[in-house]
Amino acid sequence: MASPKAVPQQARARQTYERILSATAEVLVQVGPERLTTNLVCEQAGLTPPALYRYFANKYALLEALGERLTQAQRDVLVEWSSVSNLSQNPQDLLKSFEGLFHKTMQVTLRFSAGVPIMRAMRSMPELQSVVMQSHQQIAAVIAALFVQAYPQTTLQTAQFLARTAMQIGYSMMEMLFDEPQLSTEQAAAAVARMVFALAEPEIRANAVGLQSLNALSN
């Protein structure tokens, strides 16, 4: 798979680049990732194939560019939420915070142009799975580092596993809701929050016990 080339800096070239991606999103909604072709995108954008190939080698490069933009929008939500203060809330507030994070990530994905088809493409096409993997690894590293600050007795390796697993649970639940929209988003958010909290709770408790022991020793 050929990755998209660097985003052009000149105004006219940048307009063409954005026009291509906008057309790709429109075609993707109409026909889905499997039937997407560069010819259909050119027809939608009113461009010749050489104009498209100047920036994108094939349809996978088009989808990769859209996938990177979507995952960046999702990462922005997670980064904004990620803080030591959020992670160290009391259990009830932490559960509510997890629910809110899930809802906000869902909303950002649904508002993103062709967000759901892009997620489906990244899930189903091996050529695009590295986009998802890299995005999840990056944000998991941020959350893990903050988790260790909030709960110092947790190892970074354990925190990375917890963060990565929590993200997988959240994204899998979103995909289920996209495939079965009749299901309750509220119930899904609550279920994700409970599962993620269940993952983190042993470390939270262990840190609390450890802190109590340290305080007892110091007294």
Side-chain angles (χ1 to χ4, degrees):
M1 180 185 68
S3 296
K5 301 175 184 178
V7 179
Q9 299 303 310
Q10 294 183 347
R12 185 173 180 180
R14 181 63 183 262
Q15 288 175 355
T16 301
Y17 185 92
E18 296 298 331
R19 183 175 169 186
I20 291 169
L21 288 183
S22 178
T24 302
E26 292 171 8
V27 174
L28 188 58
V29 171
Q30 295 168 10
V31 304
E34 297 298 337
R35 294 175 58 197
L36 178 77
T37 66
T38 54
N39 285 338
L40 286 174
V41 172
C42 288
E43 182 180 339
Q44 182 73 28
L47 296 170
T48 62
L52 183 148
Y53 293 136
R54 187 175 300 132
Y55 308 107
F56 302 96
N58 51 41
K59 80 171 191 176
Y60 299 110
L62 290 165
L63 290 170
E64 182 178 357
L66 290 177
E68 287 177 347
R69 290 188 173 191
L70 173 60
T71 54
Q72 180 61 59
Q74 294 168 336
R75 281 201 305 275
D76 288 345
V77 172
L78 289 164
V79 169
E80 182 183 3
W81 175 88
S82 300
S83 67
V84 173
S85 59
N86 267 341
L87 288 166
S88 57
Q89 295 177 91
N90 66 65
Q92 185 175 1
D93 289 341
L94 187 56
L95 277 168
K96 288 296 182 184
S97 187
F98 284 151
E99 288 187 39
L101 176 61
F102 180 83
H103 277 296
K104 193 166 184 179
T105 306
M106 276 282 295
Q107 290 167 4
V108 164
T109 304
L110 290 170
R111 287 198 300 263
F112 195 91
S113 180
V116 174
I118 292 169
M119 278 195 69
R120 286 175 174 154
M122 291 190 294
R123 176 182 62 184
S124 63
M125 293 184 165
E127 297 87 351
L128 301 177
Q129 289 174 4
S130 63
V131 176
V132 181
M133 181 71 69
Q134 290 172 8
S135 177
H136 288 189
Q137 288 173 342
Q138 288 170 6
I139 188 58
V142 172
I143 294 174
L146 292 170
F147 192 92
V148 170
Q149 290 182 45
Y151 303 100
Q153 296 193 63
T154 299
T155 66
L156 182 59
Q157 181 180 16
T158 297
Q160 288 173 336
F161 174 79
L162 293 176
R164 186 67 185 84
T165 305
M167 290 185 63
Q168 190 64 45
I169 290 170
Y171 276 88
S172 295
M173 189 68 78
M174 280 201 301
E175 289 173 349
M176 184 181 76
L177 290 174
F178 296 149
D179 291 341
E180 302 180 65
Q182 76 277 10
L183 297 177
S184 168
T185 302
E186 294 295 330
Q187 288 181 333
V192 167
R194 289 194 299 270
M195 286 187 282
V196 171
F197 183 78
L199 278 172
E201 186 178 19
E203 291 300 319
I204 295 173
R205 290 186 179 278
N207 275 267
V209 170
L211 181 60
Q212 291 172 1
S213 299
L214 286 173
N215 289 337
L217 287 173
S218 63
N219 294 329

mmCIF file with all atom_site columns, all heavy atoms in Angstrom, residues 11-26:
data_model
loop_
_atom_site.group_PDB
_atom_site.id
_atom_site.type_symbol
_atom_site.label_atom_id
_atom_site.label_alt_id
_atom_site.label_comp_id
_atom_site.label_asym_id
_atom_site.label_entity_id
_atom_site.label_seq_id
_atom_site.pdbx_PDB_ins_code
_atom_site.Cartn_x
_atom_site.Cartn_y
_atom_site.Cartn_z
_atom_site.occupancy
_atom_site.B_iso_or_equiv
_atom_site.pdbx_formal_charge
_atom_site.auth_seq_id
_atom_site.auth_comp_id
_atom_site.auth_asym_id
_atom_site.auth_atom_id
_atom_site.pdbx_PDB_model_num
ATOM 1   N N   . ALA A 1 11 ? -1.698  27.054 -1.995  1.00 0.00 ? 11 ALA A N   1
ATOM 2   C CA  . ALA A 1 11 ? -3.145  27.165 -1.818  1.00 0.00 ? 11 ALA A CA  1
ATOM 3   C C   . ALA A 1 11 ? -3.933  26.370 -2.861  1.00 0.00 ? 11 ALA A C   1
ATOM 4   O O   . ALA A 1 11 ? -4.853  25.625 -2.520  1.00 0.00 ? 11 ALA A O   1
ATOM 5   C CB  . ALA A 1 11 ? -3.563  28.634 -1.860  1.00 0.00 ? 11 ALA A CB  1
ATOM 6   N N   . ARG A 1 12 ? -3.559  26.494 -4.121  1.00 0.00 ? 12 ARG A N   1
ATOM 7   C CA  . ARG A 1 12 ? -4.329  25.815 -5.169  1.00 0.00 ? 12 ARG A CA  1
ATOM 8   C C   . ARG A 1 12 ? -4.194  24.301 -5.053  1.00 0.00 ? 12 ARG A C   1
ATOM 9   O O   . ARG A 1 12 ? -5.180  23.568 -5.183  1.00 0.00 ? 12 ARG A O   1
ATOM 10  C CB  . ARG A 1 12 ? -3.850  26.290 -6.541  1.00 0.00 ? 12 ARG A CB  1
ATOM 11  C CG  . ARG A 1 12 ? -4.684  25.729 -7.693  1.00 0.00 ? 12 ARG A CG  1
ATOM 12  C CD  . ARG A 1 12 ? -4.278  26.364 -9.011  1.00 0.00 ? 12 ARG A CD  1
ATOM 13  N NE  . ARG A 1 12 ? -5.060  25.827 -10.111 1.00 0.00 ? 12 ARG A NE  1
ATOM 14  C CZ  . ARG A 1 12 ? -4.912  26.212 -11.380 1.00 0.00 ? 12 ARG A CZ  1
ATOM 15  N NH1 . ARG A 1 12 ? -4.033  27.164 -11.692 1.00 0.00 ? 12 ARG A NH1 1
ATOM 16  N NH2 . ARG A 1 12 ? -5.667  25.687 -12.327 1.00 0.00 ? 12 ARG A NH2 1
ATOM 17  N N   . ALA A 1 13 ? -2.959  23.835 -4.802  1.00 0.00 ? 13 ALA A N   1
ATOM 18  C CA  . ALA A 1 13 ? -2.743  22.402 -4.654  1.00 0.00 ? 13 ALA A CA  1
ATOM 19  C C   . ALA A 1 13 ? -3.466  21.875 -3.416  1.00 0.00 ? 13 ALA A C   1
ATOM 20  O O   . ALA A 1 13 ? -4.037  20.769 -3.426  1.00 0.00 ? 13 ALA A O   1
ATOM 21  C CB  . ALA A 1 13 ? -1.247  22.107 -4.569  1.00 0.00 ? 13 ALA A CB  1
ATOM 22  N N   . ARG A 1 14 ? -3.459  22.667 -2.346  1.00 0.00 ? 14 ARG A N   1
ATOM 23  C CA  . ARG A 1 14 ? -4.145  22.259 -1.120  1.00 0.00 ? 14 ARG A CA  1
ATOM 24  C C   . ARG A 1 14 ? -5.643  22.150 -1.359  1.00 0.00 ? 14 ARG A C   1
ATOM 25  O O   . ARG A 1 14 ? -6.299  21.224 -0.858  1.00 0.00 ? 14 ARG A O   1
ATOM 26  C CB  . ARG A 1 14 ? -3.854  23.291 -0.020  1.00 0.00 ? 14 ARG A CB  1
ATOM 27  C CG  . ARG A 1 14 ? -4.487  22.969 1.334   1.00 0.00 ? 14 ARG A CG  1
ATOM 28  C CD  . ARG A 1 14 ? -3.934  21.682 1.910   1.00 0.00 ? 14 ARG A CD  1
ATOM 29  N NE  . ARG A 1 14 ? -4.579  21.347 3.159   1.00 0.00 ? 14 ARG A NE  1
ATOM 30  C CZ  . ARG A 1 14 ? -4.058  21.626 4.349   1.00 0.00 ? 14 ARG A CZ  1
ATOM 31  N NH1 . ARG A 1 14 ? -2.895  22.249 4.442   1.00 0.00 ? 14 ARG A NH1 1
ATOM 32  N NH2 . ARG A 1 14 ? -4.683  21.270 5.448   1.00 0.00 ? 14 ARG A NH2 1
ATOM 33  N N   . GLN A 1 15 ? -6.204  23.056 -2.154  1.00 0.00 ? 15 GLN A N   1
ATOM 34  C CA  . GLN A 1 15 ? -7.630  22.983 -2.472  1.00 0.00 ? 15 GLN A CA  1
ATOM 35  C C   . GLN A 1 15 ? -7.960  21.701 -3.229  1.00 0.00 ? 15 GLN A C   1
ATOM 36  O O   . GLN A 1 15 ? -8.972  21.050 -2.970  1.00 0.00 ? 15 GLN A O   1
ATOM 37  C CB  . GLN A 1 15 ? -8.033  24.202 -3.298  1.00 0.00 ? 15 GLN A CB  1
ATOM 38  C CG  . GLN A 1 15 ? -8.071  25.506 -2.506  1.00 0.00 ? 15 GLN A CG  1
ATOM 39  C CD  . GLN A 1 15 ? -8.364  26.706 -3.382  1.00 0.00 ? 15 GLN A CD  1
ATOM 40  O OE1 . GLN A 1 15 ? -8.456  26.589 -4.605  1.00 0.00 ? 15 GLN A OE1 1
ATOM 41  N NE2 . GLN A 1 15 ? -8.503  27.885 -2.771  1.00 0.00 ? 15 GLN A NE2 1
ATOM 42  N N   . THR A 1 16 ? -7.086  21.348 -4.168  1.00 0.00 ? 16 THR A N   1
ATOM 43  C CA  . THR A 1 16 ? -7.302  20.110 -4.928  1.00 0.00 ? 16 THR A CA  1
ATOM 44  C C   . THR A 1 16 ? -7.225  18.894 -4.016  1.00 0.00 ? 16 THR A C   1
ATOM 45  O O   . THR A 1 16 ? -8.038  17.964 -4.108  1.00 0.00 ? 16 THR A O   1
ATOM 46  C CB  . THR A 1 16 ? -6.260  19.979 -6.056  1.00 0.00 ? 16 THR A CB  1
ATOM 47  O OG1 . THR A 1 16 ? -6.364  21.113 -6.923  1.00 0.00 ? 16 THR A OG1 1
ATOM 48  C CG2 . THR A 1 16 ? -6.468  18.709 -6.854  1.00 0.00 ? 16 THR A CG2 1
ATOM 49  N N   . TYR A 1 17 ? -6.234  18.900 -3.135  1.00 0.00 ? 17 TYR A N   1
ATOM 50  C CA  . TYR A 1 17 ? -6.044  17.801 -2.180  1.00 0.00 ? 17 TYR A CA  1
ATOM 51  C C   . TYR A 1 17 ? -7.295  17.617 -1.321  1.00 0.00 ? 17 TYR A C   1
ATOM 52  O O   . TYR A 1 17 ? -7.803  16.493 -1.164  1.00 0.00 ? 17 TYR A O   1
ATOM 53  C CB  . TYR A 1 17 ? -4.828  18.124 -1.309  1.00 0.00 ? 17 TYR A CB  1
ATOM 54  C CG  . TYR A 1 17 ? -4.409  17.045 -0.355  1.00 0.00 ? 17 TYR A CG  1
ATOM 55  C CD1 . TYR A 1 17 ? -3.456  16.093 -0.714  1.00 0.00 ? 17 TYR A CD1 1
ATOM 56  C CD2 . TYR A 1 17 ? -4.936  16.978 0.934   1.00 0.00 ? 17 TYR A CD2 1
ATOM 57  C CE1 . TYR A 1 17 ? -3.045  15.110 0.175   1.00 0.00 ? 17 TYR A CE1 1
ATOM 58  C CE2 . TYR A 1 17 ? -4.541  16.000 1.827   1.00 0.00 ? 17 TYR A CE2 1
ATOM 59  C CZ  . TYR A 1 17 ? -3.588  15.076 1.445   1.00 0.00 ? 17 TYR A CZ  1
ATOM 60  O OH  . TYR A 1 17 ? -3.186  14.105 2.326   1.00 0.00 ? 17 TYR A OH  1
ATOM 61  N N   . GLU A 1 18 ? -7.804  18.720 -0.778  1.00 0.00 ? 18 GLU A N   1
ATOM 62  C CA  . GLU A 1 18 ? -8.993  18.648 0.071   1.00 0.00 ? 18 GLU A CA  1
ATOM 63  C C   . GLU A 1 18 ? -10.224 18.266 -0.743  1.00 0.00 ? 18 GLU A C   1
ATOM 64  O O   . GLU A 1 18 ? -11.111 17.553 -0.243  1.00 0.00 ? 18 GLU A O   1
ATOM 65  C CB  . GLU A 1 18 ? -9.218  19.989 0.773   1.00 0.00 ? 18 GLU A CB  1
ATOM 66  C CG  . GLU A 1 18 ? -8.115  20.386 1.739   1.00 0.00 ? 18 GLU A CG  1
ATOM 67  C CD  . GLU A 1 18 ? -7.951  19.402 2.879   1.00 0.00 ? 18 GLU A CD  1
ATOM 68  O OE1 . GLU A 1 18 ? -8.953  18.751 3.251   1.00 0.00 ? 18 GLU A OE1 1
ATOM 69  O OE2 . GLU A 1 18 ? -6.830  19.275 3.410   1.00 0.00 ? 18 GLU A OE2 1
ATOM 70  N N   . ARG A 1 19 ? -10.279 18.706 -1.961  1.00 0.00 ? 19 ARG A N   1
ATOM 71  C CA  . ARG A 1 19 ? -11.393 18.349 -2.847  1.00 0.00 ? 19 ARG A CA  1
ATOM 72  C C   . ARG A 1 19 ? -11.425 16.845 -3.089  1.00 0.00 ? 19 ARG A C   1
ATOM 73  O O   . ARG A 1 19 ? -12.489 16.217 -3.106  1.00 0.00 ? 19 ARG A O   1
ATOM 74  C CB  . ARG A 1 19 ? -11.214 19.106 -4.159  1.00 0.00 ? 19 ARG A CB  1
ATOM 75  C CG  . ARG A 1 19 ? -12.313 18.937 -5.189  1.00 0.00 ? 19 ARG A CG  1
ATOM 76  C CD  . ARG A 1 19 ? -11.969 19.865 -6.342  1.00 0.00 ? 19 ARG A CD  1
ATOM 77  N NE  . ARG A 1 19 ? -12.783 19.646 -7.519  1.00 0.00 ? 19 ARG A NE  1
ATOM 78  C CZ  . ARG A 1 19 ? -12.587 20.267 -8.683  1.00 0.00 ? 19 ARG A CZ  1
ATOM 79  N NH1 . ARG A 1 19 ? -11.595 21.153 -8.787  1.00 0.00 ? 19 ARG A NH1 1
ATOM 80  N NH2 . ARG A 1 19 ? -13.374 20.034 -9.720  1.00 0.00 ? 19 ARG A NH2 1
ATOM 81  N N   . ILE A 1 20 ? -10.258 16.263 -3.256  1.00 0.00 ? 20 ILE A N   1
ATOM 82  C CA  . ILE A 1 20 ? -10.164 14.818 -3.469  1.00 0.00 ? 20 ILE A CA  1
ATOM 83  C C   . ILE A 1 20 ? -10.647 14.059 -2.239  1.00 0.00 ? 20 ILE A C   1
ATOM 84  O O   . ILE A 1 20 ? -11.422 13.104 -2.344  1.00 0.00 ? 20 ILE A O   1
ATOM 85  C CB  . ILE A 1 20 ? -8.716  14.417 -3.829  1.00 0.00 ? 20 ILE A CB  1
ATOM 86  C CG1 . ILE A 1 20 ? -8.340  14.949 -5.204  1.00 0.00 ? 20 ILE A CG1 1
ATOM 87  C CG2 . ILE A 1 20 ? -8.549  12.896 -3.787  1.00 0.00 ? 20 ILE A CG2 1
ATOM 88  C CD1 . ILE A 1 20 ? -6.857  14.841 -5.526  1.00 0.00 ? 20 ILE A CD1 1
ATOM 89  N N   . LEU A 1 21 ? -10.192 14.479 -1.068  1.00 0.00 ? 21 LEU A N   1
ATOM 90  C CA  . LEU A 1 21 ? -10.592 13.787 0.155   1.00 0.00 ? 21 LEU A CA  1
ATOM 91  C C   . LEU A 1 21 ? -12.086 13.966 0.437   1.00 0.00 ? 21 LEU A C   1
ATOM 92  O O   . LEU A 1 21 ? -12.745 13.034 0.899   1.00 0.00 ? 21 LEU A O   1
ATOM 93  C CB  . LEU A 1 21 ? -9.767  14.283 1.335   1.00 0.00 ? 21 LEU A CB  1
ATOM 94  C CG  . LEU A 1 21 ? -8.302  13.832 1.365   1.00 0.00 ? 21 LEU A CG  1
ATOM 95  C CD1 . LEU A 1 21 ? -7.620  14.332 2.628   1.00 0.00 ? 21 LEU A CD1 1
ATOM 96  C CD2 . LEU A 1 21 ? -8.190  12.313 1.271   1.00 0.00 ? 21 LEU A CD2 1
ATOM 97  N N   . SER A 1 22 ? -12.607 15.138 0.158   1.00 0.00 ? 22 SER A N   1
ATOM 98  C CA  . SER A 1 22 ? -14.039 15.365 0.337   1.00 0.00 ? 22 SER A CA  1
ATOM 99  C C   . SER A 1 22 ? -14.848 14.462 -0.593  1.00 0.00 ? 22 SER A C   1
ATOM 100 O O   . SER A 1 22 ? -15.857 13.866 -0.179  1.00 0.00 ? 22 SER A O   1
ATOM 101 C CB  . SER A 1 22 ? -14.368 16.835 0.065   1.00 0.00 ? 22 SER A CB  1
ATOM 102 O OG  . SER A 1 22 ? -15.759 17.072 0.182   1.00 0.00 ? 22 SER A OG  1
ATOM 103 N N   . ALA A 1 23 ? -14.399 14.346 -1.829  1.00 0.00 ? 23 ALA A N   1
ATOM 104 C CA  . ALA A 1 23 ? -15.077 13.465 -2.787  1.00 0.00 ? 23 ALA A CA  1
ATOM 105 C C   . ALA A 1 23 ? -14.970 12.009 -2.355  1.00 0.00 ? 23 ALA A C   1
ATOM 106 O O   . ALA A 1 23 ? -15.920 11.231 -2.504  1.00 0.00 ? 23 ALA A O   1
ATOM 107 C CB  . ALA A 1 23 ? -14.477 13.652 -4.177  1.00 0.00 ? 23 ALA A CB  1
ATOM 108 N N   . THR A 1 24 ? -13.829 11.638 -1.829  1.00 0.00 ? 24 THR A N   1
ATOM 109 C CA  . THR A 1 24 ? -13.647 10.267 -1.353  1.00 0.00 ? 24 THR A CA  1
ATOM 110 C C   . THR A 1 24 ? -14.641 9.944  -0.255  1.00 0.00 ? 24 THR A C   1
ATOM 111 O O   . THR A 1 24 ? -15.259 8.870  -0.248  1.00 0.00 ? 24 THR A O   1
ATOM 112 C CB  . THR A 1 24 ? -12.215 10.064 -0.822  1.00 0.00 ? 24 THR A CB  1
ATOM 113 O OG1 . THR A 1 24 ? -11.280 10.360 -1.850  1.00 0.00 ? 24 THR A OG1 1
ATOM 114 C CG2 . THR A 1 24 ? -12.007 8.626  -0.367  1.00 0.00 ? 24 THR A CG2 1
ATOM 115 N N   . ALA A 1 25 ? -14.816 10.862 0.701   1.00 0.00 ? 25 ALA A N   1
ATOM 116 C CA  . ALA A 1 25 ? -15.772 10.650 1.786   1.00 0.00 ? 25 ALA A CA  1
ATOM 117 C C   . ALA A 1 25 ? -17.186 10.493 1.250   1.00 0.00 ? 25 ALA A C   1
ATOM 118 O O   . ALA A 1 25 ? -17.950 9.633  1.698   1.00 0.00 ? 25 ALA A O   1
ATOM 119 C CB  . ALA A 1 25 ? -15.694 11.815 2.781   1.00 0.00 ? 25 ALA A CB  1
ATOM 120 N N   . GLU A 1 26 ? -17.545 11.300 0.252   1.00 0.00 ? 26 GLU A N   1
ATOM 121 C CA  . GLU A 1 26 ? -18.889 11.229 -0.324  1.00 0.00 ? 26 GLU A CA  1
ATOM 122 C C   . GLU A 1 26 ? -19.111 9.891  -1.029  1.00 0.00 ? 26 GLU A C   1
ATOM 123 O O   . GLU A 1 26 ? -20.159 9.262  -0.874  1.00 0.00 ? 26 GLU A O   1
ATOM 124 C CB  . GLU A 1 26 ? -19.088 12.384 -1.305  1.00 0.00 ? 26 GLU A CB  1
ATOM 125 C CG  . GLU A 1 26 ? -19.130 13.755 -0.634  1.00 0.00 ? 26 GLU A CG  1
ATOM 126 C CD  . GLU A 1 26 ? -19.114 14.890 -1.640  1.00 0.00 ? 26 GLU A CD  1
ATOM 127 O OE1 . GLU A 1 26 ? -19.218 14.626 -2.848  1.00 0.00 ? 26 GLU A OE1 1
ATOM 128 O OE2 . GLU A 1 26 ? -18.999 16.064 -1.205  1.00 0.00 ? 26 GLU A OE2 1
#
